[in-house]
Amino acid sequence: MVEALPRNGSVDLAKAFDKLKRSIWVFHLNTGSCNGCDIEVLDVLTPYFDVERFGIKLVGSPRHADLILLTGPITIKTLDKVVRAIDAMPRPRLVLALGSCGVGGGIWFNTYSTLGGYPKLQELLKSLGVEVDKVVYVPGCPVRPEAIIYGVALLLGLAEPKVRYERVEAVEG
Amino acid sequence: MDFITISLISFFAVVSAFLPPLLDGVERKVRAKIQSRIGPPTVMQTWYDLRKLAVKELKMPLGGELAVLTVFLSLITSVSSIAYLTYVLITSTLNPLSIATLIVLITASHNLTLLSSVSTSNPFSIVGSYRNVTLLLVNEFGFMAGFIATLYALVRLSTNPTPLSFLAYALGLAALIVSTYVGCGRLPYDIHEAEPELASGALIEFSGVALGTYLYTHLMMRYVFSLLVAYAISTLIIGFTNALVVIAVLALLTSIIYILYGVVAAMLGRTRVDLGVRTLFTLYVSLTLCLVVAWLFA
Ligand code: SF4
């Protein structure tokens, strides 16, 4: 997976990704979630789970972040801010799509006011020329703190995936 | 200057360049212990963070070329201040000129980091930086008063050790300790770290190698401040002895003071920045007045 990352200008993405394994800074991005997943994200970052022991640190600016913890189904209201936040990250940029909403929109998968989860956002980002180097989907409503930590380990290649993600389109009507 | 002294200065300067991130790692471990956590996996964590930032993409903020340049200039001045301070301490050449040079180098490094954040086009970065400027304006006064008063008191103590000279030394040292603590940017004066949480401040626009350099410079300045306090204390205890002893004692005491500042920071809470400025101003003015009275009677 690391070898698959190409060079981006002067940045050797594979080398940079390798360095992330010991130090990964995360930025929490709420795209219109019900706050259920956000509370679990906060739980991960507080002393009980103490993710600093894995080299994980919460940062306040996407410019400092390596990984976005994305919660919510991406409402149309937040869309431009979400795109700008992801674009503001230096590469390699990684995304952890959290919760049923982040993974596929949850019960808002096809409402008028949401984009309907990260896969649709990724299509949009691609069309805008914003590259995301790696994504891991962590389902759950809300997502469990242990699952978030496991998701980060998967993202960095520190754990082997047990399931495969397959995208399916909902049949309407 | 003989070869051994030059080698000692070079050795201590290299150690001083490597130590600050390592001490930060130790401090993070200690802080985690106080908060009943495990903390980072190793004391090398800050080095890993810096190494990662060095290879990440540098997203240039709009009109940020000057900002990035000043970050690198700031690193150069902080490295110079460590090297010069080492030279001054080992060769015992503290005189008005060397003190003035030291103060200029240390404040230049601070001011360059501030300049880097006001020269981006991000208004939030500029607003946050001015909060830092206000705090620094007050603190530089306390730092200069404390530093000069402590050194003067040390000279007086070596010739005329009266109780009033001791009192003047204690007052100067108190001002030096408070001002270096604030200068280290520790809680509740950690504006550069607190501001990004409000989406503003000096750091907000930096990424990759620029952010890494900024953070490394910041750690170096913390080390310089701890070194100054270590010098002020060790000189009273051991006096001026041979260079090797000075180096060993300074390195040990600096590390202890660095960690102690971290422990104090772990126990303090955040306050409003305007309250911080007012408190510091009152404290420095009171200490300076007491110092003047002590000198008059000494
Ligand atoms: S997945 Fe569930 S808990 Fe999380 S944001 Fe969506 S509805 Fe809320």
Side-chain angles (χ1 to χ4, degrees):
Chain A
M1 199 64 86
V2 174
E3 289 70 39
L5 291 174
R7 282 189 78 87
N8 173 43
S10 61
V11 185
D12 184 341
L13 290 177
K15 190 175 159 199
F17 183 82
D18 204 38
K19 300 283 180 273
L20 294 189
K21 289 184 179 170
R22 283 185 179 273
S23 156
I24 183 153
W25 291 2
V26 299
F27 179 74
H28 179 189
L29 187 64
N30 179 333
T31 67
S33 89
C34 76
N35 279 0
C37 285
D38 302 278
I39 288 169
E40 302 303 322
V41 167
L42 291 185
D43 207 8
V44 168
L45 298 166
T46 47
Y48 185 77
F49 284 96
D50 185 25
V51 282
E52 197 184 9
R53 65 201 155 111
F54 305 117
I56 301 173
K57 184 178 143 184
L58 177 72
V59 290
S61 165
R63 287 255 195 261
H64 307 172
D66 309 307
L67 167 67
I68 289 229
L69 301 177
L70 185 140
T71 60
I74 307 142
T75 59
I76 301 302
K77 280 273 184 201
T78 62
L79 183 58
D80 66 323
K81 284 98 178 167
V82 172
V83 171
R84 281 160 69 181
I86 295 177
D87 189 33
M89 285 171 80
R91 291 185 72 186
R93 53 172 89 96
L94 318 171
V95 170
L96 206 60
L98 299 175
S100 306
C101 295
V103 169
I107 56 171
W108 295 280
F109 74 97
N110 64 350
T111 56
Y112 69 96
S113 59
T114 74
L115 206 61
Y118 183 76
K120 290 182 186 149
L121 175 68
Q122 194 163 27
E123 280 168 14
L124 183 71
L125 289 173
K126 218 174 206 134
S127 68
L128 295 171
V130 180
E131 288 290 332
V132 171
D133 296 302
K134 241 183 136 184
V135 187
V136 161
Y137 297 92
V138 186
C141 181
V143 60
R144 289 175 64 88
E146 295 86 347
I148 299 176
I149 297 172
Y150 180 65
V152 177
L154 277 187
L155 194 64
L156 298 177
L158 304 172
E160 284 300 312
K162 291 181 187 153
V163 287
R164 217 161 48 81
Y165 175 77
E166 200 174 306
R167 190 171 166 194
V168 289
E169 286 297 331
V171 184
E172 293 189 31
Chain B
M1 215 177 357
D2 57 7
F3 175 71
I4 296 182
T5 317
I6 294 175
S7 316
L8 277 176
I9 293 172
S10 320
F11 172 72
F12 192 65
V14 171
V15 168
S16 305
F18 180 76
L19 261 185
L22 194 68
L23 286 174
D24 191 63
V26 176
E27 184 193 319
R28 283 167 75 173
K29 271 291 208 197
V30 172
R31 211 166 38 209
K33 261 265 161 321
I34 293 172
Q35 295 163 348
S36 307
R37 297 187 289 120
I38 295 170
T42 71
V43 291
M44 295 292 287
Q45 186 58 45
T46 307
W47 268 115
Y48 294 143
D49 292 344
L50 293 175
R51 196 182 60 171
K52 171 203 68 186
L53 289 171
V55 291
K56 279 211 76 169
E57 182 186 9
L58 169 62
K59 280 258 178 189
M60 192 65 90
L62 203 61
E65 292 81 1
L66 181 64
V68 174
L69 176 72
T70 44
V71 168
F72 288 107
L73 284 178
S74 166
L75 176 68
I76 292 169
T77 45
S78 66
V79 172
S80 316
S81 53
I82 283 202
Y84 187 65
L85 187 57
T86 315
Y87 164 76
V88 167
L89 300 187
I90 289 177
T91 56
S92 305
T93 45
L94 261 179
N95 53 41
L97 182 66
S98 60
I99 293 172
T101 315
L102 267 177
I103 290 180
V104 167
L105 277 175
I106 292 170
T107 48
S109 187
H110 254 151
N111 296 336
L112 279 168
T113 31
L114 281 178
L115 183 66
S116 65
S117 38
V118 291
S119 42
T120 68
S121 57
N122 184 338
F124 296 105
S125 172
I126 297 170
V127 169
S129 304
Y130 277 112
R131 275 196 275 263
N132 219 351
V133 170
T134 325
L135 189 67
L136 272 187
L137 272 179
V138 178
N139 197 51
E140 301 285 272
F141 160 70
F143 171 65
M144 279 188 238
F147 188 42
I148 295 170
T150 313
L151 293 181
Y152 183 55
L154 279 173
V155 175
R156 286 286 292 263
L157 275 174
S158 61
T159 54
N160 179 25
T162 61
L164 273 174
S165 302
F166 267 111
L167 179 68
Y169 168 76
L171 289 170
L173 190 64
L176 184 66
I177 289 176
V178 174
S179 62
T180 49
Y181 180 88
V182 178
C184 284
R186 292 182 189 279
L187 215 83
Y189 305 102
D190 59 334
I191 295 189
H192 72 288
E193 264 179 35
E195 290 283 354
E197 289 168 18
L198 312 172
S200 74
L203 275 178
I204 196 83
E205 279 294 339
F206 291 134
S207 60
V209 68
L211 177 63
T213 311
Y214 188 107
L215 294 175
Y216 182 59
T217 309
H218 183 68
L219 295 176
M220 295 279 268
M221 289 315 292
R222 277 186 175 181
Y223 188 79
V224 171
F225 282 132
S226 309
L227 185 57
L228 287 176
V229 178
Y231 173 74
I233 295 171
S234 67
T235 310
L236 185 72
I237 300 168
I238 63 166
F240 299 103
T241 52
N242 78 57
L244 205 61
V245 176
V246 171
I247 282 192
V249 172
L250 278 181
L252 185 70
L253 205 57
T254 306
S255 307
I256 293 172
I257 289 167
Y258 193 106
I259 306 296
L260 269 181
Y261 277 8
V263 170
V264 173
M267 292 171 179
L268 292 179
R270 289 246 159 92
T271 60
R272 272 170 40 200
V273 69
D274 57 333
L275 287 183
V277 171
R278 226 177 299 161
T279 317
L280 282 179
F281 186 73
T282 317
L283 181 76
Y284 291 146
V285 169
S286 323
L287 281 174
T288 314
L289 285 177
C290 293
L291 259 171
V292 172
V293 173
W295 286 130
L296 283 179
F297 286 99

